[in-house]
Amino acid sequence: MIPKLMQSLHLPGQKIQASRRQFLLGALAAGSGVAIGYHVLAATPAAASGTAGSGADALAFTPYLTIDADGKVTVLSSQFEMGQGSYNGLATLVAEELDADWSTIEVLGVAGNVKAYGNIAFGGTLQGTGGSTSMFTSFERYRTAGATARAMLVAAAASDWGVSASDITVENGVLSHVSGKSGGFGTFAAKAATLPAPAEVTLKAPADWKLIGNEKLKRFDSARKANGTEQYTIDVKLPGMLTAVMIHPPLFGATLKSFDATAARSVKGVVDVVETPRGVAVVAETMWAAIKGREAVTAVWDESAAEKRGTPELMAMYKDIAGKAPAAIARKDGDADAGFASSARVMEATFEFPYLSHAAIEPLNAVARKNDDGTLEIWGGHQFPDVYQMLASQIAGVTPDKVQLHVMKTGGSFGRRAVFDGDVVVESVYVAKAIGYRAPVKVQWTREDDMRAGRYRPAYVHQMKAGIDADGQLVAWSDHVVGQSIMGKTMFDGMVKNGVDPTSVEGANNLPYAIPNQTIGLTTTEVGVPVLWWRSVGSTHTAFAAEVFLDEIAEATGKDPIAFRLSMLEPDSRHAVILKMVAEKAEWEKPVAAGRFRGVSVAESFGTVVAQIAEVSLNDSGGIKVERVVAAVDCGLVINPDQVRAQVEGGIGFGLGAILAEEITLSGGTVDQANFDMYTPLRIDAMPSVEVHILASANPPSGIGEPGVPPIGPAVANAIYKALGKRIRVMPFAKSLSA
């Protein structure tokens, strides 16, 4: 979700660690149990307070895990769970070093202490989940916490039994001594809490791992997700809680002039209709009453500053800009102009990409309640908790430590819950404040709200150009990217350097191929449509344009697509290794089955390299069916192999739906799509058979939640060319194939 550039301080390949200049391990009595975590060094206790809501007298301690008197192990996750499995990964890290019983593991999301929970990949200055960095930021600190807790439990047992700690073994949550004495974690948790934490602990060697890398280990939360007992924000019910739905401006940039809620207030169950800076909220006893009340509200909008252009006008403008010189240069190697001038053949191609909705299964929601003691509680999908805590405190007029965030699991995000302005979180606080905090308020968006209220993957146009010499070598390359900035004019505006938003060009300005002369240009457009990162961010369009154009060049030079790519890669490079692996697993050298057509692509995103070979077939009416996808993955050290495969499979389905049929279009500034009847994610009968092969690696873990998305589009497009002889350059495919 959040781009690779956010890893600028700690890139994959470096040792992952929490510096002891910043953290010390400590223990805290937790009832009759023990809590283990990083004790934050600070000048005063107040400066090192724990979770949000702690006062100046709170212990300067934030735990990473707790063990209660019953032996239950609770991992306190700094990473947000939205289906990608970060909770399971952190549980694995802790349970491995702790030698815990996997059946006793639970995971809860926590927030409110950036010093303890700051994402190392973001420089440690912001708690956040994204950029497929959860395992990267957690790998050492959560293993260390588990090992520390184990050492303290062993010390407590040794003291009770009067034996040497070295004679005690731990397995599946039970401590045992050679004399036959044994006891569970709960037996020694209270005493362990009174002992000092060891200054140093030794982590297990990979050869001793039982859970990390275990092919048979299944997610600890699978059962409740399957049986429907898992709790999400949409399930939150508080005593006296009211439900609110929003009336957002019909055009992006429009503002409210007035509204008439007379008829709405007469709807049974409606208790209030209030104005907020983000629109009008209809507050009711039930969701249905709120929706019926909303239908009865008449709102008048000032549209003088609104975006009124439609998709045809915007794309025409983009293509016109793409044909001119770029406003900024993101990468310049050699002399592309001279390379083109000396080329025996010059090829060009224009690619068009639409706006895309995140379309998570759980529409946006949040719950806010202000308590008698002045604290403000917010339940929601807190992907950027520090940001939301700050914004909520400003709206409520309280200090940030008075804002307690309940980090809920979320039914998907794909980047949508990581917003700069707090979005639905601040709406819940605005509405609660507008009704005088007299009751808890859940703001729940409908699917139509979710799809029409903005925050899309930006639309882009790529103008590509390639120069080939007399020997068939690619000697010149240029890519002019045209589209909106995600980072510009936000809290991350400082990351836009020399007119280049890295999220617009990632995947284009770091192509691995040895092309002596290349220029990657960018022109950022000013459009009033709200945009945001979308699963795999820039690589969702840059990888497609590059990998499809490369196939076209390979054909022009008479070379096999994989051999052509390998000729421009170092033989032992990650891209070359993973390309060879996917070719072997898909049996690329053998003829494809009759009626099948194959295409290949490879892309790096978030420190992970993924190559895919797609097989497609044609039906009697000329329609395309993606039958099979073989994927090879280099994501560094693998913590949960089953989860890696699941994420790549999910990424393929997610990306395939987008390139086949998904698009957000506008008519006169109004979004045309409102629900899944017009915006069509992949249907189950269109999901191909998927094989995922993971490269064994001892490198630090890199991302996996997103990197499966970028290669699927170009792999399928390249296969479709083999089937139909038609190059796909306008997304989605349904539009290109029907033209």
Side-chain angles (χ1 to χ4, degrees), residues 334-355:
D335 188 334
D337 289 338
F340 289 127
S342 63
S343 294
R345 180 176 179 181
V346 175
M347 302 173 61
E348 295 190 60
T350 302
F351 294 88
E352 301 176 32
F353 301 88
Y355 290 106

Side-chain angles (χ1 to χ4, degrees), residues 216-537:
K216 297 181 180 179
L217 186 69
K218 302 300 181 183
R219 287 177 63 148
F220 76 96
D221 55 356
S222 293
R224 58 180 183 250
K225 288 196 173 188
N227 64 27
T229 58
E230 188 68 279
Q231 295 294 294
Y232 301 88
T233 308
I234 201 169
D235 300 311
V236 172
K237 295 179 181 179
L238 303 177
M241 185 181 77
L242 300 173
T243 299
V245 296
M246 297 296 300
I247 304 174
H248 295 118
L251 293 175
F252 300 120
T255 56
L256 184 67
K257 291 176 67 175
S258 63
F259 70 96
D260 183 352
T262 304
R265 290 191 171 94
S266 67
V267 173
K268 184 179 179 180
V270 172
V271 300
D272 214 337
V273 182
V274 296
E275 179 180 350
T276 80
R278 291 176 54 87
V280 179
V282 179
V283 187
E285 295 171 353
T286 65
M287 181 72 178
W288 179 248
I291 290 173
K292 299 306 290 183
R294 178 168 68 175
E295 293 172 355
V297 174
T298 300
V300 180
W301 304 91
D302 179 355
E303 299 178 350
S304 58
E307 177 59 72
K308 299 185 179 69
R309 288 172 290 183
T311 297
E313 297 96 319
L314 291 173
M315 294 310 289
M317 178 186 73
Y318 279 27
K319 287 188 284 186
D320 179 65
I321 293 172
K324 301 173 182 177
I329 301 299
R331 176 177 180 177
K332 184 175 176 59
D333 295 349
D335 188 334
D337 289 338
F340 289 127
S342 63
S343 294
R345 180 176 179 181
V346 175
M347 302 173 61
E348 295 190 60
T350 302
F351 294 88
E352 301 176 32
F353 301 88
Y355 290 106
L356 291 174
S357 173
H358 300 78
I361 196 65
E362 182 183 12
L364 294 185
N365 43 29
V367 180
R369 176 178 71 187
K370 194 169 186 182
N371 302 313
D372 292 340
D373 62 2
T375 58
L376 178 68
E377 294 180 86
I378 305 173
W379 289 257
H382 301 311
Q383 198 166 349
F384 271 180
D386 301 327
V387 175
Y388 306 158
Q389 184 185 42
M390 175 192 68
L391 293 171
S393 71
Q394 293 171 348
I395 297 166
V398 299
T399 54
D401 64 293
K402 295 293 185 182
V403 178
Q404 181 180 357
L405 301 180
H406 297 276
V407 183
M408 302 298 296
K409 303 176 189 71
T410 291
S413 173
F414 316 116
R416 188 60 184 86
R417 296 266 184 175
V419 289
F420 313 112
D421 63 357
D423 210 10
V424 71
V425 174
V426 304
E427 285 183 351
S428 70
V429 182
Y430 276 131
V431 177
K433 181 178 181 180
I435 66 169
Y437 299 112
R438 67 178 184 268
V441 175
K442 177 192 287 183
V443 174
Q444 178 65 60
W445 287 20
T446 63
R447 175 63 59 198
E448 290 77 9
D449 297 330
D450 199 66
M451 199 159 286
R452 284 186 163 162
R455 301 311 187 353
Y456 310 111
R457 196 285 304 275
Y460 290 97
V461 165
H462 285 246
Q463 183 64 47
M464 313 285 292
K465 190 174 181 181
I468 306 167
D469 68 12
D471 296 325
Q473 302 298 311
L474 180 56
V475 294
W477 175 277
S478 71
D479 182 0
H480 182 186
V481 184
V482 179
Q484 288 172 254
S485 169
I486 294 173
M487 308 286 256
K489 300 179 181 178
T490 72
M491 60 184 292
F492 295 122
D493 185 65
M495 304 189 84
V496 178
K497 303 293 186 183
N498 300 317
V500 176
D501 181 338
T503 68
S504 297
V505 296
E506 62 178 349
N509 67 342
N510 60 334
L511 281 179
Y513 304 109
I515 307 170
N517 306 292
Q518 60 176 302
T519 299
I520 307 300
L522 173 67
T523 299
T524 297
T525 56
E526 293 293 334
V527 180
V529 179
V531 296
L532 189 65
W533 25 58
W534 185 92
R535 193 175 184 181
S536 282
V537 201

